[in-house]
Amino acid sequence: MLKTYDAPVYDYVCSQEQKNGQVKRHPVVVIGAGPVGLTAALDFAQQGIEVVVLDDNNTVSVGSRAVCYAKRALEIWDRLGCGERMVAKGVGWKLGKVFFKDKLAYQFDLLGEDGHKMPAMINLQQYYLEDYLVDQSKLDDQIEVRWKHKLIAIEQHDDYAMLTVQTPDGVFQMEADWVIGCDGANSDLRSMIGAEFTGHFFMDRFLIADIIMKADFPPERWFWFDPPFHRNQSALLHRQPDNVWRLDFQLGWDCDPEEEKREDNIIARVKAMLGEDVDFELEWASVYQFACRRIDQFRHGRVIFAGDSAHQVSPFGARGANTGIQDIDNLGWKVRLVLDGVASERLIDSYHEERSFAADDNLLNSTRSTDFITPKSKGSRFYRDAVLELAEMTDFAKPLVNSGRLSKPTPYVHSSLNSVDEDAFDGDMAPGTNCADSPIALAGLDGWLLNQLGKGFVLLVFGDKPMDKISMAGLEVRVLCVDQDLQDVQGLVRQRYDGKDGTTYLIRPDQHVAARWRNFDRTKIEAAVKRAIGGI
Amino acid sequence: MALKETLTLADPDGFYQELIESQRDMSEDEQQLMNAKLVLILANEVGDRAKISAAIALAARRPMGQSFMPLV
Ligand SMILES: Cc1cc2nc3c(=O)[nH]c(=O)nc-3n(C[C@H](O)[C@H](O)[C@H](O)COP(=O)(O)OP(=O)(O)OC[C@H]3O[C@@H](n4cnc5c(N)ncnc54)[C@H](O)[C@@H]3O)c2cc1C
């Protein structure tokens, strides 16, 4: 029982199909109602697909787990209608400080640039996140979240999968065109399929504790290497809503996890950190060993894995949930086009291509951070300490300090869905990159560019508007003209997209650039759309 | 002799990883010996004696930063 939060208990309802004993075919069944499965439900519904989510439990994440959510995940949730609520509740922060022993070694500022709707990073307990996602899912009757439904077996066929599900009323079967595996790092589904999940465990343990404390430390990320209150290990302090603070203590491999979990031991550690007189209550604590692992293939027949079931990272870059949400961003529109018969299954395979590339990037960054935080040998420890000491004396060592490289989207630079640039462009919006937001005005009202993108393919055109839309092969590509359909009030759209007159961007439903040109050429556009839906 | 204040290496995390990986399977003594060799090799590459002296002095310096404990 948490003191600052009452976890909802969602009702178990026996489904009509279980009552009737009639096997029903669903277009999409999602396994797992964690952050990723719930986001999947919202995305599929936004694509106009009826979706059933099965979860073996009937509440939100017990204890907080994830804390930090980055701009891209927030933008995706904003597209799905609940980003603003998360930002309103969350604690925004920008500054990270890194201490070595008792000295400030380095500090970083996440503040990218102004002119984005979503902040660089917020902190929010994972249970709030899931709670809000469930609330949002209730607004759409295409979504049915079935609590106390545990997947216990799966049988794959050529064009569907048969699921065996256990509920308090017994066992029943259902069929799905596509099954989305969002059942977490210990995925049952992954074992049922027999997919490989390889990588490595770090020989270290961490005590993660959330405490309730009224303190006026600023909302900054404070990270210590080898502090006086916790010699030879690292520690972290971070603010969450409701006066809850996240503390991490590295424990080393030789500790006894059971001992460390004892409340008196945790309280002693917190007091060593914050002082004997500090007034706090323990909200939740757990001891973790972290791993960096990835599934071999994100797609196995009719089963597609997303989130922790597909990749697990150490939490130092806050990459777990953040990247899982981006998996879904990549997947929803692809499944829709394949279900509609507009695209072939090659488009689903591009999900593996793009998201395994991103997963590898995340794994690399998480592994590097973990190696810095948890040096594996004395020599590596010396390098680590050398970097930290030098960082206090000279700037060149600062970029080498690694207390976690915080989650950023991985552009799909080599994706087979991209059309290679033929023209020269300045700026960052190369094919495969997620679109930068910008302030705009629409019919005299302030708005944001990203809120205009994301429903189907869009052609973002600068200058004259050549036509309203292009209809082709079951697809409608909407033309959105800067100046005509929206006003570039601060000139930031032009600047960020290097938008000289005539410039045309083809933007995917997941707000990523597929292609761009210096003029509007229908033949080239049609070829690029085909390519972007896996048609080559 | 002023040393460069800003990092000149592209992909600093990749550089650091390569360094650590190269010693992963070494004993402590082997690591130390390798580090000594690495210093000598890099010193030879730098060549400039004044720079090397400044680097030796910086590396030998003890951190003097203001003690900054935000807590307690
Ligand atoms: C200490 C800690 C700190 C973290 N910090 C961050 C952070 O700051 N930022 C961040 O982005 N990430 C962070 N993470 C990672 C984040 O918590 C996970 O990446 C995220 O929860 C993954 O979501 P998911 O939906 O894939 O899986 P999960 O959250 O694990 O959800 C899986 C769901 O599937 C259900 N399920 C399992 N088996 C079955 C079955 N057979 N049938 C039906 N349902 C089933 C489970 O009940 C559960 O609801 C952190 C993790 C930890 C442990």
Side-chain angles (χ1 to χ4, degrees):
Chain A
M1 268 290 280
L2 299 176
K3 298 178 187 84
T4 58
Y5 177 76
D6 279 326
V9 176
Y10 301 114
D11 291 337
Y12 159 74
V13 178
C14 185
S15 64
Q16 210 52 46
E17 59 193 292
Q18 183 171 12
K19 275 187 199 144
N20 299 345
Q22 234 172 16
V23 178
K24 195 174 155 190
R25 173 78 65 94
H26 301 268
V28 173
V29 174
V30 175
I31 314 300
V36 177
L38 290 166
T39 303
L42 296 176
D43 204 327
F44 286 119
Q46 190 172 83
Q47 307 294 336
I49 304 170
E50 292 205 343
V51 51
V52 177
V53 185
L54 308 179
D55 194 89
D56 58 356
N57 205 339
N58 63 349
T59 184
V60 293
S61 172
V62 181
S64 173
R65 294 168 72 201
V67 167
C68 307
Y69 307 102
K71 184 165 86 208
R72 183 59 199 152
L74 294 169
E75 286 171 352
I76 295 165
W77 285 318
D78 191 43
R79 174 169 66 75
L80 298 172
C82 48
E84 289 179 10
R85 188 174 176 200
M86 293 165 185
V87 174
K89 176 73 185 178
V91 174
W93 64 277
K94 290 181 200 129
L95 212 58
K97 289 188 176 141
V98 178
F99 305 95
F100 181 44
K101 301 189 171 149
D102 62 346
K103 299 190 177 71
L104 179 68
Y106 170 59
Q107 72 181 49
F108 59 85
D109 193 335
L110 290 178
L111 181 77
E113 42 181 27
D114 283 340
H116 294 256
K117 178 174 178 187
M118 290 291 141
M121 197 68 91
I122 63 160
N123 289 355
L124 182 69
Q125 292 90 323
Q126 183 162 336
Y127 38 77
Y128 278 117
L129 180 82
E130 294 183 15
D131 192 326
Y132 295 177
L133 290 168
V134 173
D135 280 353
Q136 188 70 22
S137 75
K138 289 177 179 161
L139 302 179
D140 194 320
D141 53 19
Q142 298 171 102
I143 302 173
E144 201 188 319
V145 184
R146 297 188 185 169
W147 305 100
K148 292 269 176 206
H149 281 59
K150 184 181 171 71
L151 177 76
I152 56 171
I154 183 167
E155 197 183 284
Q156 293 234 43
H157 297 266
D158 275 354
D159 56 350
Y160 73 100
M162 173 76 90
L163 306 172
T164 307
V165 180
Q166 188 171 43
T167 74
D169 286 303
V171 172
F172 76 105
Q173 291 194 307
M174 53 200 294
E175 293 175 355
D177 289 338
W178 295 99
V179 178
I180 317 300
C182 305
D183 53 343
N186 300 318
S187 171
D188 295 329
L189 182 54
R190 202 180 52 225
S191 325
M192 292 172 199
I193 296 289
E196 297 231 8
F197 195 54
T198 49
H200 59 282
F201 276 91
F202 296 97
M203 305 301 263
D204 204 342
R205 289 199 177 83
F206 289 81
L207 169 69
I208 313 284
D210 283 345
I211 63 167
I212 310 165
M213 164 176 79
K214 285 219 170 70
D216 33 299
F217 307 130
E220 299 172 351
R221 179 185 193 263
W222 285 352
F223 192 101
W224 288 264
F225 290 100
D226 194 8
F229 58 81
H230 192 51
R231 286 330 297 246
N232 284 313
Q233 307 286 8
S234 66
L236 175 132
L237 175 77
H238 219 170
R239 182 175 201 150
Q240 304 173 70
D242 302 342
N243 291 316
V244 174
W245 298 75
R246 165 60 55 88
L247 311 180
D248 284 14
F249 296 93
Q250 182 185 19
L251 299 174
W253 187 236
D254 299 329
C255 74
D256 176 349
E258 290 313 310
E259 274 294 297
E260 294 294 343
K261 271 187 236 174
R262 279 184 27 206
E263 187 154 338
D264 51 336
N265 285 331
I266 297 173
I267 288 174
R269 292 218 181 279
V270 176
K271 286 196 162 165
M273 182 182 199
L274 300 170
E276 271 303 315
D277 319 319
V278 70
D279 195 13
F280 73 94
E281 282 180 277
L282 193 59
E283 179 70 316
W284 169 82
S286 189
V287 173
Y288 287 92
Q289 182 190 3
F290 295 123
C292 281
R293 300 185 285 173
R294 202 201 96 182
I295 200 168
D296 48 3
Q297 292 292 318
F298 281 48
R299 174 187 174 195
H300 284 258
R302 309 305 286 186
V303 178
I304 302 166
F305 291 92
D308 276 15
S309 70
H311 41 69
Q312 190 183 14
V313 294
S314 69
F316 298 108
R319 285 169 183 261
N322 279 306
T323 188
I325 301 315
Q326 294 169 68
D327 288 347
I328 298 306
D329 191 35
N330 191 280
L331 183 62
W333 64 278
K334 293 181 177 176
V335 171
R336 144 112 199 265
L337 291 182
V338 172
L339 279 172
D340 289 353
V342 173
S344 76
E345 286 182 19
R346 258 208 309 270
L347 186 58
I348 304 268
D349 292 326
S350 75
Y351 167 73
H352 168 81
E353 180 196 335
E354 295 185 331
R355 293 311 299 167
S356 68
F357 179 70
D360 288 345
D361 184 38
N362 282 308
L363 287 164
L364 180 70
N365 276 289
S366 301
T367 304
R368 285 172 173 176
S369 301
T370 312
D371 278 344
F372 196 88
I373 293 164
T374 303
K376 306 241 163 357
S377 68
K378 204 158 178 190
S380 165
R381 166 78 190 252
F382 275 129
Y383 271 118
R384 205 275 307 272
D385 290 355
V387 165
L388 290 166
E389 279 200 5
L390 282 173
E392 289 172 39
M393 302 183 215
T394 165
D395 283 344
F396 93 83
K398 290 182 170 133
L400 291 164
V401 173
N402 192 341
S403 70
R405 300 275 180 246
L406 292 161
S407 175
K408 277 198 203 140
T410 306
Y412 311 133
V413 279
H414 307 301
S415 171
S416 62
L417 305 188
N418 298 344
S419 297
V420 178
D421 278 344
E422 296 168 5
D423 307 315
F425 283 88
D426 286 333
D428 298 329
M429 290 296 109
T433 309
N434 62 299
C435 291
D437 205 358
S438 300
I440 54 153
L442 261 171
L445 295 175
D446 287 341
W448 296 95
L449 177 64
L450 282 188
N451 290 146
Q452 316 312 316
L453 308 173
K455 290 176 190 87
F457 278 89
V458 173
L459 285 159
L460 184 70
V461 175
F462 295 82
D464 293 334
K465 188 171 186 175
M467 54 183 75
D468 283 334
K469 63 179 185 213
I470 293 183
S471 300
M472 57 174 285
L475 268 180
E476 207 161 81
V477 183
R478 188 164 50 94
V479 176
L480 186 68
C481 184
V482 178
D483 291 343
Q484 235 154 298
D485 298 317
L486 55 86
Q487 275 65 54
D488 185 11
V489 276
Q490 296 182 25
L492 285 173
V493 185
R494 273 210 155 66
Q495 187 189 316
R496 287 178 186 165
Y497 290 77
D498 187 15
K500 300 182 181 66
D501 281 354
T503 298
T504 301
Y505 278 77
L506 175 64
I507 296 171
R508 313 186 335 184
D510 57 4
Q511 304 173 333
H512 282 63
V513 175
R516 55 181 180 172
W517 307 269
R518 284 302 185 190
N519 52 38
F520 191 96
D521 180 326
R522 189 165 174 152
T523 317
K524 285 185 181 167
I525 291 169
E526 290 195 7
V529 171
K530 262 199 188 144
R531 202 176 163 77
I533 61 170
I536 319 255
Chain B
M1 182 78 236
L3 293 169
K4 285 175 196 138
E5 271 280 333
T6 49
L7 190 72
T8 57
L9 299 170
D11 184 21
D13 287 350
F15 154 71
Y16 192 82
Q17 182 182 23
E18 186 179 341
L19 197 56
I20 300 307
E21 287 292 334
S22 71
Q23 305 193 328
R24 198 175 282 279
D25 298 320
M26 290 186 190
S27 70
E28 255 171 57
D29 284 356
E30 286 168 337
Q31 289 177 347
Q32 287 219 26
L33 188 61
M34 173 181 148
N35 286 345
K37 287 191 220 161
L38 189 57
V39 169
L40 296 174
I41 293 165
L42 294 178
N44 185 51
E45 282 301 308
V46 172
D48 184 332
R49 276 295 282 110
K51 269 202 176 146
I52 294 170
S53 294
I56 290 173
L58 177 62
R61 207 165 96 196
R62 291 184 178 281
M64 299 275 288
Q66 275 290 308
S67 179
F68 181 99
M69 277 301 291
L71 309 173
V72 193

